[in-house]
Amino acid sequence: MHPDDAPDQPPAEKSPVRHPIDPASAERTIGRHRALPPPRRGPIRSTPARVAAATGVTCCLGLVGFLGVPDTGQRHEPVREVLADRAATEQRASRDYQRTAPPVAVPVTPIPVATPTAKPTRKATRKPVRPARPRPVAGLDQRQMDNAKVIVDVGRAMKMPRRALVIAVATAMQESNLYNLASDVLPESYDYPHQGSGSDHDSVGLFQQRPSSGWGTVAQLMRPSYAAQAFYTALKEVPGWTELSLTAAAQAVQVSAYPDAYAPHEERATTVVAALA
């Protein structure tokens, strides 16, 4: 011991240094109220890293679900639950994008697409061709010429010679002036197409044939084609009619009160037949 040292004394106890206590710090360090240390920021804590990691896990899970993993007896409940949740999510998404048909069908007009080589085609429509009406000759009007054509056409259809056609046209010129006449005696005759009227007993039509004499019904005799056929049929029954004069042949059929009245019409009748046959 150094002489200058003080006599032995028990060492003085050092009093602990007291620092002010922060309530928050005390709460973090005491008992169950101790708070966890603040999380450390690392690469995995950043938002892009989180997204990349989640995407990788999802792809791996989808690949495992698609390829299938053999059952080894081990249970992977978390993986199956994730797959089930994902499948349910995809189904909900697919149902959300489904579209139902509208309650009322709306007609949609297609839009024509023009192509450089396509040419519009027009369907040719054929109009019905009307038979040409004969041009009137020998001083006849159109109605007279039309009736003369009916007489000539019927005679040709019956294979009658040209001489018979001339006799028939000349007879109609004398009897009705080539008009289809009704009869004042037969009011029924006005029910049919006609071009005038006469009053010679019950005579009707182009040839003034009488229903009471058996030529036919009023309806039949008012048709020019039937009247002409009836005349040709009766003419063929006259013996040697081809050798007779026009007047004699016509009179043999008609039995007219004026037998010589047919002769003046022979020249005009010949001109008309020549224009039609």
Side-chain angles (χ1 to χ4, degrees), residues 99-249:
R99 297 291 183 265
T100 57
V104 180
V106 179
V108 179
T109 304
I111 301 175
V113 180
T115 57
T117 58
K119 294 182 179 179
T121 58
R122 295 182 179 178
K123 186 177 180 181
T125 56
R126 294 184 179 181
K127 296 182 179 179
V129 179
R130 296 182 179 180
R133 302 180 70 179
R135 181 180 178 182
V137 296
L140 302 181
D141 62 22
Q142 191 62 60
R143 292 183 299 170
Q144 292 172 307
M145 196 67 181
D146 292 341
N147 290 331
K149 184 177 186 303
V150 173
I151 296 172
V152 172
D153 290 345
V154 171
R156 296 180 65 182
M158 296 177 65
K159 308 298 182 182
M160 299 297 289
R162 181 180 289 265
R163 178 64 176 173
L165 307 182
V166 174
I167 294 173
V169 172
T171 301
M173 285 180 175
Q174 171 57 31
E175 296 290 350
S176 65
N177 198 20
L178 280 174
Y179 290 118
N180 191 28
L181 301 180
S183 174
D184 296 337
V185 180
L186 294 174
E188 179 188 353
S189 61
Y190 287 93
D191 296 337
Y192 307 101
H194 58 279
Q195 298 166 330
S197 62
S199 57
D200 183 11
H201 303 287
D202 58 346
S203 301
V204 294
L206 290 177
F207 294 89
Q208 290 293 283
Q209 296 154 329
R210 301 177 63 181
S212 60
S213 300
W215 286 95
T217 65
V218 176
Q220 291 173 334
L221 297 176
M222 289 298 295
R223 292 198 341 250
S225 59
Y226 178 89
Q229 183 179 359
F231 179 85
Y232 287 124
T233 301
L235 180 62
K236 289 193 297 184
E237 298 296 328
V238 176
W241 68 268
T242 56
E243 305 298 330
L244 300 177
S245 64
L246 184 145
T247 298

Side-chain angles (χ1 to χ4, degrees), residues 43-59:
I44 196 65
R45 297 296 182 177
S46 63
T47 300
R50 291 179 185 178
V51 173
T55 304
V57 172
T58 303
C59 294

